[in-house]
């Protein structure tokens, strides 16, 4: 053989292969989708028999990891404990190698603080990761009415790692006015339940007395 090469579509170009005697070898990274044909020239200059082999390649760009937070799944109110339960679902065909919780405090007046990244161990996660964890905000100095913005980031194991991000969630701490309103509503609900229970007890007492009087009449033969 005199030469051998893969010849690609217009944007692919020509990729030469190493020739030795009657054989050749080599490797190449396709630059474009399309049909790549093997172009081989004989050392004696004569034509080669048969159609040259061809590779039909379709190149697809690598996608970033898909990241979701099904719990809480949407904007919500932080619990009084300031420990928000989370369920994180991340997937990628190259596998997940790194995960981080990115949070940012926004004050009641709208002033945003710097972003904070907390890494989560995902060793051996593979191409699908579902974990249950919690976001501990007790040491963040939150005040009533503040909001924490949360985004989960995940990196894949591709030769050139890509990062995927979840939808941003707003975790809001109730204001003092809202807390007092909820407390009053809870107190009214307890009072209403107590009144309902008292009424039920009174009705039960009346039924018991009626049954007792009815039995006395039966015993007296009335």
């Amino acid at each position: 053989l005199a030469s051998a090469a893969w010849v690609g579509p217009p944007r692919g170009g020509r990729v030469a292969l190493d020739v030795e005697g009657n054989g050749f070898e080599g490797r190449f990274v396709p630059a474009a989708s399309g049909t790549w044909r093997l172009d081989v020239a004989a050392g004696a200059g004569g034509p080669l028999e048969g159609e040259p082999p061809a590779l039909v390649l379709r190149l697809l760009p690598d996608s970033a990891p898909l990241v979701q937070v099904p719990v809480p799944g949407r904007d919500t109110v932080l619990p009084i404990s300031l420990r928000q339960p989370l369920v994180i679902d991340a997937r990628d065909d190259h596998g997940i190698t790194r995960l981080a919780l990115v949070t940012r405090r926004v004050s009641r007046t709208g002033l945003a603080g710097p972003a904070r990244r907390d890494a989560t161990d995902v060793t051996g996660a593979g191409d699908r990761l579902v974990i249950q964890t919690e976001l501990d905000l007790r040491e963040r100095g939150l005040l009533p009415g503040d909001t924490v913005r949360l985004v989960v980031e995940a990196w894949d194991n591709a030769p050139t790692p890509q990062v995927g991000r979840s939808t941003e969630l707003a975790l809001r701490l109730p204001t003092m006015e809202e807390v007092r309103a909820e407390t009053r509503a809870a107190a009214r609900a307890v009072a209403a339940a107590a009144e309902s229970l008292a009424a039920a007890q009174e009705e039960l007492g009346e039924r018991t007395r009626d049954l007792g009087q009815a039995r006395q009449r039966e015993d007296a033969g009335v």
Side-chain angles (χ1 to χ4, degrees), residues 67-70 86-90 99 101 129-133 152:
V67 187
Q68 297 176 313
V69 187
L86 299 176
V87 174
I88 300 171
D89 184 353
L99 196 73
L101 307 182
L129 168 70
V130 178
I131 61 172
Q132 294 182 349
T133 184
V152 180

Side-chain angles (χ1 to χ4, degrees), residues 27-179:
R27 60 185 298 173
F28 76 104
V29 178
S33 298
T35 301
W36 291 75
R37 299 187 182 280
L38 183 62
D39 181 20
V40 179
L48 298 178
E49 296 181 358
E51 290 291 326
L55 294 176
V56 179
L57 302 179
R58 181 186 178 194
L59 306 186
L60 298 176
D62 182 38
S63 59
L66 175 63
V67 187
Q68 297 176 313
V69 187
V71 175
R74 59 182 180 179
D75 297 348
T76 188
V77 176
L78 282 170
I80 299 300
S81 64
L82 297 183
R83 301 176 67 165
Q84 174 63 50
L86 299 176
V87 174
I88 300 171
D89 184 353
R91 66 189 75 184
D92 188 88
D93 54 353
H94 286 290
I96 303 296
T97 60
R98 192 153 49 107
L99 196 73
L101 307 182
V102 184
T103 53
R104 186 176 76 258
R105 174 190 172 189
V106 180
S107 70
R108 183 178 180 180
T109 59
L111 182 62
R116 170 174 167 176
R117 282 177 168 80
D118 296 307
T120 299
D121 184 16
V122 293
T123 303
D127 59 2
R128 177 78 184 273
L129 168 70
V130 178
I131 61 172
Q132 294 182 349
T133 184
E134 69 175 16
L135 180 63
D136 192 344
L137 300 170
R138 292 176 294 178
E139 305 299 326
R140 300 292 291 272
L142 297 179
L143 299 174
D146 285 355
T147 299
V148 174
R149 299 282 180 174
L150 167 68
V151 174
V152 180
E153 297 180 340
W155 284 260
D156 65 12
N157 195 32
T160 303
Q162 296 201 72
V163 59
R165 295 175 176 84
S166 69
T167 301
E168 185 178 69
L169 299 178
L171 311 175
R172 191 174 65 86
L173 190 64
T175 64
M176 291 303 300
E177 292 82 357
E178 291 173 327
V179 173

